[in-house]
Amino acid sequence: MYAFEYRRPATLEDACKALDSLAESKPLAGGMSIVPVMRQRLASPAALIDLGRIDALKGIEVPNGGLRIGAMTTHFAVSRSELVRSKIPALGQLAGGIGDPLVRNRGTIGGSLAHNDPAACYPASVLALDATIHTDRRDIGADDFIVGTFSTALAPTEIIVAVSFPPPDTAAYIKFINASSRFSIVGVFVARSGGTVRVGVTGAGHHAFRCRQLEATLMTAFDPQAARAVRLPADELISDINGSAAFRAHVIPELAARAVEHCMAGTSGAIV
Amino acid sequence: MYVGKPLPRPEDFRFLTGRGKYVDDIKLPRCASAGFLRSPHAHARILRLDASRALKRPGVIRIVTAQDWAKAGHGKLVCVHPMPSSDGQPMREVLRPAFAAEEVHHVGDVLAAVVAETRYQVLDALDAIEVEYAPLPTLSVTARALDDGAPVVHEQLGSNLISEILRGDPSLAKQAFARAAHVTALTLDSNRLAGNPLEPRCYLASYEPETDHCTLWATTQVPHMLRRWICKYALNIPEHKLRVIAPDVGGGFGNKVNFHVEVSTIVWMSRELGRPVKWTATRSETLQSDTQARDHATEARMAFAADGKILALQVDTIACLGGYLSNFAPSIPGNSYPQTITGLYTTPALDLRVRTVYTNTVPIDAYRGSGRPEATWVNERLLENAAREMGIDVVEIRRRNLLQSSDFPYKTPVGRVYDCGNPPALLNRLVDMAKYKELRQEQAELRKEGKLMGIGIAAFLDKSGTGPSRQLSTRGGLHGGFESATIRVHSDGKVTVLSGSHSHGQGHRITFAQIAADRLGLPIEDIAVVQGDTDQVPYGNGTWGSRSASVGGTAIYRASETVIAKARRLAAHLLECNPDDLDYENTLFFVKGTNRKLSFAEVADAAYHGASYPSDPGFEPGLECTIFYDPPDLNDPQAMHLAVVFVDERIGRVSIREYYTVDDCGTMINPMIIEGQVQGGLGQGIGQAMMEHVIYDPDTGQLLTGTFMDYAMPRASDMPPLQSDYLCVPAPSNPLGVKGGSETGTIGPPAAIGNAVVDALWHLGVRSIELPMTPYSVWRAIASASAGEA
Amino acid sequence: MATVEISLTVNGKPVVSDVEPRWPLVEFLREHLGLTGTHVGCDTSQCGACTVHVDGVAMRSCTLFAVQADGCDVKTIESVSAGNELHPMQAAFRQHHALQCGFCTPGMIMSALDLVRREGYELSEETIRHNLEGNICRCTGYYNIIKAIGAGAKAMRNASAG
C-alpha cells in the first residue's frame, strides 16, 4: 500500500489535534474496513490516527436507562454485554453476526458507522432505533447521520465518541447473509416503541435507509402478514450479482415480517 | 500390512508448527521483486505503452514487454493437450502469450513485467507505466460466442470457434428420439469457477552466472513438465540448466498444473539479471490470471421408452476456453466430458456435439473434476426430471438403467470402455444409508405443512489414472502419462522412494510409504519419500487427474518388486542356496527348513560394499531400481450422492439438511486420506452447486468477482452433515487395484443438490434451476415457474 | 520512507525494530522476523490464514499494521508447541487428519485456541462451525477440522486439569 504517517494518541484531545494538524489524515478504529481498502491501494490517507489506546472511547453504559456504547467498543464486546442483552438484545444479536470472530475481535461500532458500508449491519440498527451519534463536537441523529454511499454527516476530522440507543419495547434483526462477503444481501432491523415502528434496511440501497412504507404498515398493525403483503417499488434499490432490485424489493418485506415474528416471540432475530 | 490402514502423515508436524516451506517462505540474499502490468480491459488494442517514467522510479531494475520477449527469441506457451475437430481439422489455436503484443483479450492479460528491489517499488513502477488502449467490442457470454454478429475475440480467425467435437451416432440417436415414448429437454449450463487454492501462486528463480544454472522454486503440481515446457517451448534453454523444485505447495486442484504466463518471465529475468527474482501473486491477481474452470452452455435431451429405459442422449455444448488456449484446456470439454457424458447408464445412442470457443475471459483449464461435473450435471438432471415427468420414482428409474456389474467392461457410445464396478450395489447402499423410503414419507408429511423438502440423487462415473501415453499422443498430446519411481535402498537397509508425482495435500508420503513398505516387507519407519525436485527425482508427469495412486503408486509397487527380487537373489547367493528356497518374512530371508537367515539390512549392506558379491558379471552392486511405468488403461471410479434439502422459498435460501456419499474408489490404500479427499472434494462440489461463480459483465467483460468479497466459497458452517461409505471393486488395470479417489466430491453435488431443489419445488412448476443455486437463482426459478415460464 | 521504532514481544521474546507504518504485521513477521508460519491467502481480510494472537486475542495480521503492535504481546503459530511436543490442539489436528496442504492450518490453530479462550473446553459442533467463518480451507471440507477442534479442546481441558 501507499506510505502514510502513523500516530497513536492516548487521549481524545490529542487525537483531535492530530487530525487537525496532519493533512489528509483519517481516524483508525478497528481497521476492518479501511485497512483492506488501503492494502488494495484504493485509498491512500496521508496519515492514520489510531484511536485504539483511547480508553474514553471504550465501554458500555446505561446512563438514565438508555444504552450508550463507546465508539471503540468491539463487536465481540457488544455481543457479550449483559447490559446490551438486557436493554436491546437485538443489538447484541446483530453485533454477534457481523463478519466472523476475527472481525468481531477488532471491529468497532464507531468504525463501522463512520465507514457506512451500504451493506453493513450497524447502520440499519441506528436508523431503526433512532440512535444518536455523539462526536467530539456535537450530537447527530441517525436520520441525519447517514448521507450517502460510504458517506456520513461527519466532517473530515470529526471523531465518533459514542452511540446512544433509546431502548425500544421490542426489536429484532434479520440478516440475509451474503455467502462471499459475510455482509448482508439485505438486512432488516425492526424496532417498536409504543405506537412508533421504525424499520432500518441495509444492503438494498446506496446506503442504509428507513423503509417508510413498512413503518406505516406496521404502525397500523404490528403483524407479520401485514408486512408480507407490502409491495415495495424496486426503483430505488440496487441490483448486483447477489440479486436484482426486484429480488430485494421482494425480500425486504419478508425479512421485516420475520423480524416482527421474532419480536412477538420475544427473540431477537436470526441470520437467514 | 500397511495398505488399508488409516496411518497419519509425517508432514503434519511441519505444517502444524508453522515450519512448512512454501515458495514465498524461501528467502534468498539479493532477491529482486517482480510484478506484472495487467489489462483493465477485456478486449482492446494496445495503442501505446510507455515505460519510460516507470524506469526512472526508485529501485526499478528492468521492465519488459512483448517486444523484449520477441527480441530475446523466446517461444510460446504451448498447448500440450490439443483436441482437433472431429473432421480432422486442427484447433484454431491462439496460445496464451507471455505478453500481449497488439491486443489484450481478457481482463488481467499481461502487458509488461517490472523487476525492482522491493515489492513496493514494483507496485509504484507499475502505476507509472502509461498505456493507451482502444477498447474493442467484447464477448463474455459463452452462449453467444457463435451467434451471428457476435464480437470476435481473435479477428484473424473470423469466428470464435476453436474446434468441434462430435461423438456418437446422430442418425441412430435421431431414430431413437423419433420412436421415444418420452423426451425430456433442459438447458444445463455449468457455472464458471475459480479453483482458489489457498496459497497464491509464487515463483522464485535464482540464476547463478558462475555455474550457468538456474533453480526455480515453483508452486506447481508438475515440476518436471514445467521444467520441460520452460526449457523447450518458452526460453529455449538446455533442460539440465534448470532445476525445478516444488517444495510444500498449498493446494493445487489443477490450477497449478498449467504453464502459466508469469513463470517463464521470472526465470528469464533471473537469468538476465544474474540474481534471484521472486513474484508472489496477490489474491486479486490470481482471480485474473489463474486458469478458471467449467463454463459450458448446454442444451440437452434424453429419450425414453415407456418403462423409463434410456433410448438416447443428445447434447449440444458450447464450452468456453477463455481468451487464449491454455495447456490442457481443449481436452476437458473435448475428451473428459464426452467420455463420461452417459454416466453409469446403458445408453444405446448418443449424439454429442461440443464446440469449444474463445471469449474475452481468463483462459480455462483443468480444475478438480475437469469435465465430469459438467457431464454429470447434464446426465443426472435429465434423468430425474424425466422420472418425475413420467411418474417413476427417481431411484427406480436408476435401477432400470444402471449398468450391472456383469455389463463391465462396458463400451460406451463414445468408445471409452469402463473397467469394472457394481453400480446397483452402490445405489442400494446409498438408499439404505439415507433411509430413502422414510425420507419420502417425511417429505409428504412436511409438504402438508407447507415445508419444502427435496431429495435428489447423483449417480456418476469419474475418469482417472491418466493414462496410457499412446492414448494421449493419438490426440496430439505433447506429454506422457507414465509415472516414475525410484526405490533406493541405502547401505543400512533403509529406503528412499523417489516419485515423479507431487503431493500438495494428498498425503503421498504416507500412502507411497505404505505401498513400498508392504511390497518390500519393511517397517514403514524405514521408508522416506521424496518428491518435487527435478534434480533428485527422475522425470515424472506430476499430480493431476487422480493419477498418483494408480500410476505413481503402481510405479512404486513395480520398482519395489524388482528391488525385493534382487535382494532375494543376493540373499540366496550369500546363504548359498537357491532363491526359491528362501522365505521372506518380518524383514528376514530364511532358508526353508533351517535356521539360517539374513536380514534385509544385511543384504543391503552386502550390496553396497561388495566384499561377498557374486562374481557373475550380470549381477551389479547396489540395490536400487528406477522404472517409468506407463499404465495400460485409465480407471473408472464411481460414486453416488444423495442430498436432502429444504427450500425457504420466500427468500430462495436452500439449506442442505443431510448429504450421503457412496464411493467405489478401488482398493483404499489409506482410508483416512481417501475420506479427506472425498470431503475436500465435497467442499468444492457444494461450492459449485451453491455459491461459487466467476462472473463477467455481459457487455464489458469486466470481472465482477475479483476478490473473495464477491467470489463465495464454503465456510465450515456451509457444509452439511455427512455420511459416507465405500464399496470398492478393485481396478483390473493395476496390481494395487486402485482407482482414483479424489475428485468424486466435486462431481456429484451440483446434480444431487440440483435434483433435490427441483424435487422440492416441482409442485410449484419448477423444472429447471441455474447454477449456482444462490437464493437469487432459486427465487428466479420459482418466480418464472409461477409466471408460467417453466 | 520514514520509519518508526516499535518495541514488542513476539513469541515471548522482546523485539525492537524500525518499521514503515504501512507494513502489515504479517509482512513484518514473515519478511523481517523470519516467522513464515503465518500465511497470506487473500487480500480482503477474509481467509484467516494470517491469524495471530495480539495481547491474547486472535486477529488477522494482514489487517493490523506492525506499528499498531507496538507495546503488544504477539504470538504466532511458532509459539504454540513446546519444543518437539505438539500442543494438544495441534495433536488433535494430526490425529483427525484435519489438514491437507497445510496452508490454512496455522490460522485454524490460532483461531481454534481463541475459540477455546472465548467459549471454553466443551465445544458443540455448531459452535465450532459458526466460529470458523473467518477461516477458509479449500482442501478438507472442514469436517475433520471440526472434529479436531472439539477433541483438541477436550484434550486441553484434561491437560490443564492434570
Side-chain angles (χ1 to χ4, degrees), chain A residues 16 19-20 27 51 114 133-140 145 152-161:
Chain A
C16 294
L19 282 165
D20 283 334
L51 306 177
I133 288 92
H134 307 287
T135 77
D136 61 285
R137 59 195 79 162
R138 56 180 168 145
D139 295 337
I140 312 175
F145 180 77
T152 69
L154 293 172
T157 62
E158 194 169 0
I159 300 177
I160 300 177
V161 167

PDB file of all heavy atoms in Angstrom, chain A residues 16 19-20 27 51 114 133-140 145 152-161:
ATOM      1  N   CYS A  16      -7.821  14.571  18.271  1.00  0.00           N
ATOM      2  CA  CYS A  16      -8.406  15.684  17.514  1.00  0.00           C
ATOM      3  C   CYS A  16      -7.319  16.613  17.001  1.00  0.00           C
ATOM      4  O   CYS A  16      -7.366  17.080  15.859  1.00  0.00           O
ATOM      5  CB  CYS A  16      -9.391  16.461  18.392  1.00  0.00           C
ATOM      6  SG  CYS A  16     -10.841  15.480  18.831  1.00  0.00           S
ATOM      7  N   LEU A  19      -5.604  15.034  14.018  1.00  0.00           N
ATOM      8  CA  LEU A  19      -6.420  15.071  12.798  1.00  0.00           C
ATOM      9  C   LEU A  19      -6.443  16.482  12.205  1.00  0.00           C
ATOM     10  O   LEU A  19      -6.449  16.657  10.992  1.00  0.00           O
ATOM     11  CB  LEU A  19      -7.849  14.612  13.100  1.00  0.00           C
ATOM     12  CG  LEU A  19      -8.029  13.110  13.232  1.00  0.00           C
ATOM     13  CD1 LEU A  19      -9.369  12.781  13.876  1.00  0.00           C
ATOM     14  CD2 LEU A  19      -7.915  12.427  11.876  1.00  0.00           C
ATOM     15  N   ASP A  20      -6.457  17.475  13.093  1.00  0.00           N
ATOM     16  CA  ASP A  20      -6.460  18.853  12.600  1.00  0.00           C
ATOM     17  C   ASP A  20      -5.129  19.222  11.967  1.00  0.00           C
ATOM     18  O   ASP A  20      -5.089  19.947  10.973  1.00  0.00           O
ATOM     19  CB  ASP A  20      -6.761  19.820  13.755  1.00  0.00           C
ATOM     20  CG  ASP A  20      -8.240  19.827  14.097  1.00  0.00           C
ATOM     21  OD1 ASP A  20      -9.047  19.521  13.202  1.00  0.00           O
ATOM     22  OD2 ASP A  20      -8.592  20.129  15.256  1.00  0.00           O
ATOM     23  N   PRO A  27      -9.063   8.894  11.023  1.00  0.00           N
ATOM     24  CA  PRO A  27      -9.016   8.092  12.246  1.00  0.00           C
ATOM     25  C   PRO A  27      -8.990   6.603  11.876  1.00  0.00           C
ATOM     26  O   PRO A  27      -9.590   6.196  10.880  1.00  0.00           O
ATOM     27  CB  PRO A  27     -10.329   8.431  12.969  1.00  0.00           C
ATOM     28  CG  PRO A  27     -11.012   9.446  12.154  1.00  0.00           C
ATOM     29  CD  PRO A  27     -10.371   9.525  10.829  1.00  0.00           C
ATOM     30  N   LEU A  51      -7.027   5.185  17.146  1.00  0.00           N
ATOM     31  CA  LEU A  51      -7.802   5.509  18.342  1.00  0.00           C
ATOM     32  C   LEU A  51      -7.768   4.371  19.361  1.00  0.00           C
ATOM     33  O   LEU A  51      -8.454   4.439  20.390  1.00  0.00           O
ATOM     34  CB  LEU A  51      -9.262   5.791  17.946  1.00  0.00           C
ATOM     35  CG  LEU A  51      -9.474   6.855  16.862  1.00  0.00           C
ATOM     36  CD1 LEU A  51     -10.954   6.968  16.515  1.00  0.00           C
ATOM     37  CD2 LEU A  51      -8.938   8.213  17.316  1.00  0.00           C
ATOM     38  N   ALA A 114     -18.781   5.059  10.916  1.00  0.00           N
ATOM     39  CA  ALA A 114     -18.065   6.106  10.172  1.00  0.00           C
ATOM     40  C   ALA A 114     -17.813   5.677   8.730  1.00  0.00           C
ATOM     41  O   ALA A 114     -17.852   6.477   7.812  1.00  0.00           O
ATOM     42  CB  ALA A 114     -16.734   6.424  10.863  1.00  0.00           C
ATOM     43  N   ILE A 133     -25.605   9.705  17.420  1.00  0.00           N
ATOM     44  CA  ILE A 133     -24.160   9.533  17.274  1.00  0.00           C
ATOM     45  C   ILE A 133     -23.492  10.740  17.917  1.00  0.00           C
ATOM     46  O   ILE A 133     -23.693  11.893  17.492  1.00  0.00           O
ATOM     47  CB  ILE A 133     -23.766   9.394  15.788  1.00  0.00           C
ATOM     48  CG1 ILE A 133     -24.203   8.026  15.252  1.00  0.00           C
ATOM     49  CG2 ILE A 133     -22.262   9.528  15.610  1.00  0.00           C
ATOM     50  CD1 ILE A 133     -25.556   7.967  14.630  1.00  0.00           C
ATOM     51  N   HIS A 134     -22.743  10.470  18.994  1.00  0.00           N
ATOM     52  CA  HIS A 134     -22.041  11.548  19.705  1.00  0.00           C
ATOM     53  C   HIS A 134     -20.633  11.661  19.150  1.00  0.00           C
ATOM     54  O   HIS A 134     -19.888  10.684  19.131  1.00  0.00           O
ATOM     55  CB  HIS A 134     -21.951  11.224  21.202  1.00  0.00           C
ATOM     56  CG  HIS A 134     -23.276  10.904  21.813  1.00  0.00           C
ATOM     57  ND1 HIS A 134     -24.242  11.874  22.062  1.00  0.00           N
ATOM     58  CD2 HIS A 134     -23.812   9.725  22.222  1.00  0.00           C
ATOM     59  CE1 HIS A 134     -25.303  11.280  22.597  1.00  0.00           C
ATOM     60  NE2 HIS A 134     -25.073   9.991  22.699  1.00  0.00           N
ATOM     61  N   THR A 135     -20.268  12.865  18.706  1.00  0.00           N
ATOM     62  CA  THR A 135     -18.912  13.050  18.199  1.00  0.00           C
ATOM     63  C   THR A 135     -18.130  13.942  19.152  1.00  0.00           C
ATOM     64  O   THR A 135     -18.657  14.371  20.187  1.00  0.00           O
ATOM     65  CB  THR A 135     -18.901  13.670  16.798  1.00  0.00           C
ATOM     66  OG1 THR A 135     -19.169  15.082  16.913  1.00  0.00           O
ATOM     67  CG2 THR A 135     -19.925  13.015  15.900  1.00  0.00           C
ATOM     68  N   ASP A 136     -16.917  14.263  18.766  1.00  0.00           N
ATOM     69  CA  ASP A 136     -16.094  15.129  19.615  1.00  0.00           C
ATOM     70  C   ASP A 136     -16.622  16.548  19.651  1.00  0.00           C
ATOM     71  O   ASP A 136     -16.169  17.359  20.460  1.00  0.00           O
ATOM     72  CB  ASP A 136     -14.632  15.105  19.121  1.00  0.00           C
ATOM     73  CG  ASP A 136     -14.509  15.623  17.693  1.00  0.00           C
ATOM     74  OD1 ASP A 136     -14.885  14.885  16.760  1.00  0.00           O
ATOM     75  OD2 ASP A 136     -14.061  16.767  17.489  1.00  0.00           O
ATOM     76  N   ARG A 137     -17.599  16.861  18.778  1.00  0.00           N
ATOM     77  CA  ARG A 137     -18.049  18.256  18.766  1.00  0.00           C
ATOM     78  C   ARG A 137     -19.573  18.436  18.773  1.00  0.00           C
ATOM     79  O   ARG A 137     -20.074  19.542  18.938  1.00  0.00           O
ATOM     80  CB  ARG A 137     -17.441  19.000  17.584  1.00  0.00           C
ATOM     81  CG  ARG A 137     -17.762  18.412  16.220  1.00  0.00           C
ATOM     82  CD  ARG A 137     -16.843  18.964  15.136  1.00  0.00           C
ATOM     83  NE  ARG A 137     -15.532  18.307  15.155  1.00  0.00           N
ATOM     84  CZ  ARG A 137     -14.659  18.323  14.143  1.00  0.00           C
ATOM     85  NH1 ARG A 137     -14.956  18.948  13.021  1.00  0.00           N
ATOM     86  NH2 ARG A 137     -13.500  17.716  14.246  1.00  0.00           N
ATOM     87  N   ARG A 138     -20.329  17.361  18.575  1.00  0.00           N
ATOM     88  CA  ARG A 138     -21.789  17.523  18.533  1.00  0.00           C
ATOM     89  C   ARG A 138     -22.480  16.163  18.617  1.00  0.00           C
ATOM     90  O   ARG A 138     -21.814  15.122  18.661  1.00  0.00           O
ATOM     91  CB  ARG A 138     -22.206  18.218  17.239  1.00  0.00           C
ATOM     92  CG  ARG A 138     -21.713  17.483  16.002  1.00  0.00           C
ATOM     93  CD  ARG A 138     -22.109  18.158  14.721  1.00  0.00           C
ATOM     94  NE  ARG A 138     -21.363  17.549  13.610  1.00  0.00           N
ATOM     95  CZ  ARG A 138     -21.876  17.392  12.387  1.00  0.00           C
ATOM     96  NH1 ARG A 138     -23.096  17.793  12.107  1.00  0.00           N
ATOM     97  NH2 ARG A 138     -21.135  16.838  11.432  1.00  0.00           N
ATOM     98  N   ASP A 139     -23.803  16.221  18.666  1.00  0.00           N
ATOM     99  CA  ASP A 139     -24.609  15.004  18.578  1.00  0.00           C
ATOM    100  C   ASP A 139     -25.343  15.012  17.248  1.00  0.00           C
ATOM    101  O   ASP A 139     -25.883  16.050  16.843  1.00  0.00           O
ATOM    102  CB  ASP A 139     -25.657  14.947  19.705  1.00  0.00           C
ATOM    103  CG  ASP A 139     -25.018  14.842  21.070  1.00  0.00           C
ATOM    104  OD1 ASP A 139     -23.854  14.390  21.136  1.00  0.00           O
ATOM    105  OD2 ASP A 139     -25.675  15.202  22.061  1.00  0.00           O
ATOM    106  N   ILE A 140     -25.386  13.850  16.599  1.00  0.00           N
ATOM    107  CA  ILE A 140     -26.069  13.753  15.301  1.00  0.00           C
ATOM    108  C   ILE A 140     -27.103  12.639  15.377  1.00  0.00           C
ATOM    109  O   ILE A 140     -26.792  11.517  15.776  1.00  0.00           O
ATOM    110  CB  ILE A 140     -25.074  13.424  14.165  1.00  0.00           C
ATOM    111  CG1 ILE A 140     -23.833  14.329  14.232  1.00  0.00           C
ATOM    112  CG2 ILE A 140     -25.763  13.541  12.814  1.00  0.00           C
ATOM    113  CD1 ILE A 140     -22.759  13.984  13.209  1.00  0.00           C
ATOM    114  N   PHE A 145     -27.403  11.324  10.117  1.00  0.00           N
ATOM    115  CA  PHE A 145     -26.011  10.847  10.066  1.00  0.00           C
ATOM    116  C   PHE A 145     -25.679  10.165   8.743  1.00  0.00           C
ATOM    117  O   PHE A 145     -24.621  10.367   8.161  1.00  0.00           O
ATOM    118  CB  PHE A 145     -25.776   9.873  11.234  1.00  0.00           C
ATOM    119  CG  PHE A 145     -24.388   9.331  11.286  1.00  0.00           C
ATOM    120  CD1 PHE A 145     -23.335  10.104  11.775  1.00  0.00           C
ATOM    121  CD2 PHE A 145     -24.101   8.046  10.827  1.00  0.00           C
ATOM    122  CE1 PHE A 145     -22.038   9.613  11.823  1.00  0.00           C
ATOM    123  CE2 PHE A 145     -22.809   7.550  10.874  1.00  0.00           C
ATOM    124  CZ  PHE A 145     -21.779   8.327  11.367  1.00  0.00           C
ATOM    125  N   THR A 152     -21.037   9.956   5.396  1.00  0.00           N
ATOM    126  CA  THR A 152     -21.857  10.330   6.541  1.00  0.00           C
ATOM    127  C   THR A 152     -21.785  11.849   6.723  1.00  0.00           C
ATOM    128  O   THR A 152     -21.070  12.534   6.004  1.00  0.00           O
ATOM    129  CB  THR A 152     -21.335   9.665   7.825  1.00  0.00           C
ATOM    130  OG1 THR A 152     -20.067  10.254   8.154  1.00  0.00           O
ATOM    131  CG2 THR A 152     -21.184   8.164   7.672  1.00  0.00           C
ATOM    132  N   ALA A 153     -22.502  12.301   7.770  1.00  0.00           N
ATOM    133  CA  ALA A 153     -22.503  13.734   8.070  1.00  0.00           C
ATOM    134  C   ALA A 153     -21.224  14.190   8.762  1.00  0.00           C
ATOM    135  O   ALA A 153     -21.049  15.374   9.022  1.00  0.00           O
ATOM    136  CB  ALA A 153     -23.707  14.055   8.945  1.00  0.00           C
ATOM    137  N   LEU A 154     -20.327  13.245   9.062  1.00  0.00           N
ATOM    138  CA  LEU A 154     -19.110  13.609   9.784  1.00  0.00           C
ATOM    139  C   LEU A 154     -18.234  14.524   8.952  1.00  0.00           C
ATOM    140  O   LEU A 154     -18.042  14.305   7.763  1.00  0.00           O
ATOM    141  CB  LEU A 154     -18.296  12.344  10.125  1.00  0.00           C
ATOM    142  CG  LEU A 154     -18.907  11.357  11.131  1.00  0.00           C
ATOM    143  CD1 LEU A 154     -18.052  10.098  11.190  1.00  0.00           C
ATOM    144  CD2 LEU A 154     -19.026  11.982  12.513  1.00  0.00           C
ATOM    145  N   ALA A 155     -17.680  15.535   9.617  1.00  0.00           N
ATOM    146  CA  ALA A 155     -16.658  16.362   8.973  1.00  0.00           C
ATOM    147  C   ALA A 155     -15.372  15.543   8.886  1.00  0.00           C
ATOM    148  O   ALA A 155     -15.203  14.588   9.646  1.00  0.00           O
ATOM    149  CB  ALA A 155     -16.429  17.621   9.808  1.00  0.00           C
ATOM    150  N   PRO A 156     -14.459  15.913   7.974  1.00  0.00           N
ATOM    151  CA  PRO A 156     -13.272  15.088   7.771  1.00  0.00           C
ATOM    152  C   PRO A 156     -12.474  14.783   9.038  1.00  0.00           C
ATOM    153  O   PRO A 156     -11.904  13.708   9.167  1.00  0.00           O
ATOM    154  CB  PRO A 156     -12.426  15.905   6.789  1.00  0.00           C
ATOM    155  CG  PRO A 156     -13.416  16.730   6.049  1.00  0.00           C
ATOM    156  CD  PRO A 156     -14.539  16.998   6.998  1.00  0.00           C
ATOM    157  N   THR A 157     -12.437  15.702   9.996  1.00  0.00           N
ATOM    158  CA  THR A 157     -11.625  15.440  11.187  1.00  0.00           C
ATOM    159  C   THR A 157     -12.469  15.101  12.411  1.00  0.00           C
ATOM    160  O   THR A 157     -11.978  15.048  13.535  1.00  0.00           O
ATOM    161  CB  THR A 157     -10.744  16.655  11.524  1.00  0.00           C
ATOM    162  OG1 THR A 157     -11.628  17.760  11.803  1.00  0.00           O
ATOM    163  CG2 THR A 157      -9.818  17.007  10.376  1.00  0.00           C
ATOM    164  N   GLU A 158     -13.748  14.860  12.190  1.00  0.00           N
ATOM    165  CA  GLU A 158     -14.659  14.628  13.306  1.00  0.00           C
ATOM    166  C   GLU A 158     -14.585  13.166  13.745  1.00  0.00           C
ATOM    167  O   GLU A 158     -14.553  12.264  12.914  1.00  0.00           O
ATOM    168  CB  GLU A 158     -16.086  14.969  12.856  1.00  0.00           C
ATOM    169  CG  GLU A 158     -17.094  15.094  13.967  1.00  0.00           C
ATOM    170  CD  GLU A 158     -18.423  15.694  13.474  1.00  0.00           C
ATOM    171  OE1 GLU A 158     -18.537  15.999  12.270  1.00  0.00           O
ATOM    172  OE2 GLU A 158     -19.337  15.835  14.304  1.00  0.00           O
ATOM    173  N   ILE A 159     -14.561  12.965  15.040  1.00  0.00           N
ATOM    174  CA  ILE A 159     -14.430  11.597  15.576  1.00  0.00           C
ATOM    175  C   ILE A 159     -15.707  11.209  16.309  1.00  0.00           C
ATOM    176  O   ILE A 159     -16.221  11.975  17.133  1.00  0.00           O
ATOM    177  CB  ILE A 159     -13.271  11.506  16.574  1.00  0.00           C
ATOM    178  CG1 ILE A 159     -11.945  11.885  15.904  1.00  0.00           C
ATOM    179  CG2 ILE A 159     -13.164  10.111  17.166  1.00  0.00           C
ATOM    180  CD1 ILE A 159     -10.773  11.875  16.870  1.00  0.00           C
ATOM    181  N   ILE A 160     -16.208  10.002  16.038  1.00  0.00           N
ATOM    182  CA  ILE A 160     -17.336   9.481  16.825  1.00  0.00           C
ATOM    183  C   ILE A 160     -16.795   9.082  18.194  1.00  0.00           C
ATOM    184  O   ILE A 160     -15.768   8.393  18.294  1.00  0.00           O
ATOM    185  CB  ILE A 160     -17.994   8.270  16.152  1.00  0.00           C
ATOM    186  CG1 ILE A 160     -18.528   8.650  14.758  1.00  0.00           C
ATOM    187  CG2 ILE A 160     -19.123   7.715  17.016  1.00  0.00           C
ATOM    188  CD1 ILE A 160     -19.137   7.481  13.994  1.00  0.00           C
ATOM    189  N   VAL A 161     -17.504   9.476  19.223  1.00  0.00           N
ATOM    190  CA  VAL A 161     -17.079   9.166  20.589  1.00  0.00           C
ATOM    191  C   VAL A 161     -17.918   8.042  21.181  1.00  0.00           C
ATOM    192  O   VAL A 161     -17.424   7.154  21.858  1.00  0.00           O
ATOM    193  CB  VAL A 161     -17.164  10.449  21.454  1.00  0.00           C
ATOM    194  CG1 VAL A 161     -17.056  10.131  22.925  1.00  0.00           C
ATOM    195  CG2 VAL A 161     -16.108  11.446  21.021  1.00  0.00           C
TER     196      VAL A 161
END
